[in-house]
Amino acid sequence: MTNLIIQVSKYVIIILMAIYTLQSYVVFRKKDEDDADFLFLRQNVIMFCMHFVAFMVLYLEMEESQLLFFYGAQVIYLAATLVLFRNLYPKASRLLINHMCMLISIGMIMITRISYDQSIKQFKIAAASTVIALFIPVIIRKLRLITKWAWVYAVLGIGLLGLVAVAARSTYGAKIAFTVGGITLQPSEFVKIIFVFCMAGLLLRAKTFKDIVVATGLAALHVLILVVSTDLGSALIFFVTYLIMLYVASRRAIYLAAGLGAGSLAAVAAYFLFSHVRVRVEVWLNPFADYAGNGYQIAQSLFAIGAGGWFGTGLFQGSPTAIPIVEQDFMFSAVTEELGGIFSICLILVCLSCFIMILNIAMRLSNPFYRLVALGLGTMYAVQVFLTVGGTMKFIPLTGVTLPFVSYGGSSMLSTLIMFAVIQGLYILREDEEDSIEKEKIYGQYPN
């Protein structure tokens, strides 16, 4: 009977995820606010239903009573997040709030399946991070001085990355984190946000070619420190984000072409200068040539994706733990193996819906600084998703970055929640601007 429930549940989960994803795009065509609110409510119901079905399977497989309390705690957390964001910030984007909660719930399902102890840690971090994130939109809305601190951001960002390069412990050959009071921090996750604010300020003040060179030099310094620390994934995210921000701020295709050319030359130079870069490329070209060594991770990832097929093996019916550090770098492979290719495609589409919504916010902001910040944060999010998914599928060399909200990692969870909270603050600013415009029209038609 248990096996039947597990096999049926995987199809139920796929159907629910497909409906949720479809509604993520239907909402963009909704003009009536009441219709959109009803659609968002249906998404919430679908999320809780999917969460319940998944944890029912986890309980049947694990047979641990504490799992019921853990499930209840997650339901309270998700419900509280939805209610608090909506009531504290009525003008916030419901779509981004829903996606944030949906992605976190998927992550909790998969991390619990892989390691119950890690899921407890992740849940505590998510709850604490959400409390912090709740204060961010009001700061963005009220503290207008943040638009003038470009050089403060530059010093802070470069200082943190430099500290990591010098003092951080090496993990899997990369210096990316250090431990303070038993808490492991990965500063590059937070510097990503600081970097976007820094570049937005510098690029908007850039009136001459010299100003562009200064901004580019500072961006290059961020990337170079990350490369020296062998944090290649973050280095690539910073590089692509700056390139997009530079092009949008200057509207000059020659800068984009020059950046792509310089990036290509830097990649070739890195291949010959750094042994870890050569290893990543060689593993990408043929992971099975060194199956027992460096190619083992990506080979197991490909096996997991192939085993999952379209409909997945079902929770606890696959072997995602055969992939080393699967809960961090290869969570997409674990999702695909046990929940299926259709579910994974829907997951990618939900992430794409987040990016589209962020771009929509960026395009409608009148303040050029906030517009660049929204664009930069959206680009960072999209690039990170692309690197994670592409790396696990052998589409691109593995970069070792996490899948936002879904993978295990405290720094990643906190920084992504802050990023989404910043975007919510910008969305609220946009709504404030539109309200002001409407009031001006009304008062213009009916003067006192």
Side-chain angles (χ1 to χ4, degrees):
M1 184 65 180
T2 300
N3 289 334
L4 178 62
I5 293 174
I6 292 173
Q7 290 303 314
V8 172
S9 68
K10 72 177 184 180
Y11 295 107
V12 173
I13 290 173
I14 290 172
I15 292 171
L16 290 173
M17 186 63 176
I19 296 172
Y20 179 94
T21 305
L22 178 63
Q23 293 178 340
S24 300
Y25 289 87
V26 171
V27 71
F28 289 115
R29 302 181 61 182
K30 295 290 184 182
K31 302 299 182 182
D32 185 79
E33 189 172 327
D34 291 335
D35 289 345
D37 285 342
F38 185 65
L39 187 147
F40 292 138
L41 181 61
R42 289 204 303 267
Q43 282 190 318
N44 297 152
V45 172
I46 290 170
M47 178 191 70
F48 283 113
C49 287
M50 192 181 80
H51 188 248
F52 169 78
V53 172
F55 265 85
M56 177 184 66
V57 174
L58 293 177
Y59 176 74
L60 290 174
E61 287 287 346
M62 298 171 68
E63 296 183 345
E64 295 183 6
S65 58
Q66 63 264 34
L67 194 64
L68 298 176
F69 296 100
F70 186 42
Y71 164 74
Q74 289 184 42
V75 170
I76 293 172
Y77 160 73
L78 292 170
T81 301
L82 291 168
V83 171
L84 286 173
F85 264 105
R86 181 171 185 181
N87 285 276
L88 291 175
Y89 305 107
K91 295 180 181 179
S93 168
R94 291 282 303 278
L95 183 64
L96 286 182
I97 296 172
N98 285 0
H99 285 352
M100 181 180 75
C101 290
M102 173 58 101
L103 293 172
I104 290 174
S105 69
I106 293 171
M108 292 308 306
I109 290 166
M110 292 306 303
I111 296 172
T112 304
R113 181 266 177 265
I114 293 169
S115 171
Y116 179 73
D117 290 338
Q118 286 186 325
S119 67
I120 294 292
K121 294 178 182 178
Q122 185 78 346
F123 175 71
K124 291 178 180 178
I125 293 170
S129 300
T130 302
V131 173
I132 295 172
L134 283 168
F135 292 95
I136 302 298
V138 70
I139 294 175
I140 297 297
R141 190 181 187 185
K142 300 295 185 181
L143 191 61
R144 300 303 174 94
L145 288 175
I146 59 176
T147 63
K148 302 177 181 179
W149 295 343
W151 284 100
V152 175
Y153 301 137
V155 172
L156 182 60
I158 292 172
L160 285 173
L161 293 181
L163 179 64
V164 173
V166 173
R169 58 184 173 83
S170 181
T171 306
Y172 300 105
K175 286 187 174 182
I176 58 176
F178 55 83
T179 303
V180 179
I183 301 174
T184 301
L185 298 173
Q186 188 173 337
S188 63
E189 289 289 342
F190 306 103
V191 176
K192 287 190 300 187
I193 301 171
I194 298 172
F195 176 80
V196 168
F197 277 86
C198 172
M199 292 302 123
L202 291 176
L203 290 173
L204 286 178
R205 296 176 188 174
K207 305 299 181 183
T208 64
F209 180 72
K210 180 182 177 181
D211 296 331
I212 295 292
V213 171
V214 170
T216 303
L218 285 172
L221 184 56
H222 282 81
V223 174
L224 182 61
I225 296 174
L226 289 167
V227 171
V228 171
S229 302
T230 65
D231 190 357
L232 303 180
S234 295
L236 188 56
I237 292 172
F238 277 57
F239 171 74
V240 175
T241 300
Y242 175 70
L243 206 58
I244 297 299
M245 292 178 71
L246 174 62
Y247 173 69
V248 172
S250 65
R251 301 182 185 276
R252 295 187 179 182
I254 189 172
Y255 289 157
L256 180 61
L260 291 173
S264 300
L265 291 175
V268 173
Y271 177 83
F272 289 104
L273 292 175
F274 301 103
S275 60
H276 60 276
V277 176
R278 288 196 297 274
V279 170
R280 293 280 180 92
V281 174
E282 289 166 2
V283 168
W284 170 59
L285 292 174
N286 188 4
F288 299 100
D290 188 18
Y291 174 73
N294 293 317
Y296 184 76
Q297 270 186 313
I298 188 64
Q300 288 298 121
S301 173
L302 294 174
F303 289 148
I305 293 172
W310 287 111
F311 301 103
T313 60
L315 288 170
F316 274 98
Q317 304 306 301
S319 304
T321 53
I323 308 173
I325 57 173
V326 62
E327 70 280 3
Q328 296 179 24
D329 297 350
F330 290 90
M331 186 58 85
F332 184 78
S333 302
V335 170
T336 305
E337 180 179 12
E338 296 205 333
L339 299 180
I342 295 175
F343 186 96
S344 293
I345 292 172
C346 290
L347 177 61
I348 294 172
L349 290 174
V350 169
C351 294
L352 180 60
S353 176
C354 288
F355 179 59
I356 293 172
M357 187 63 201
I358 296 170
L359 285 186
N360 178 273
I361 294 171
M363 289 187 294
R364 296 178 64 179
L365 282 165
S366 61
N367 187 305
F369 175 84
Y370 292 131
R371 190 186 308 129
L372 265 186
V373 168
L375 174 70
L377 294 177
T379 301
M380 277 199 162
Y381 175 78
V383 172
Q384 186 165 339
V385 172
F386 173 76
L387 292 180
T388 304
V389 175
T392 57
M393 297 177 64
K394 197 182 165 292
F395 182 72
I396 57 174
L398 187 65
T399 54
V401 296
T402 57
L403 184 59
F405 289 132
V406 181
S407 295
Y408 174 78
S411 295
S412 175
M413 175 63 73
L414 176 56
S415 66
T416 309
L417 276 167
I418 291 174
M419 182 185 297
F420 269 59
V422 169
I423 294 167
Q424 289 287 12
L426 298 178
Y427 183 85
I428 294 168
L429 283 176
R430 192 200 78 175
E431 293 296 301
D432 289 342
E433 290 175 353
E434 292 187 353
D435 287 348
S436 297
I437 293 172
E438 288 297 321
K439 288 179 180 178
E440 287 178 4
K441 288 181 179 178
I442 293 173
Y443 291 139
Q445 290 177 348
Y446 304 102
N448 292 329

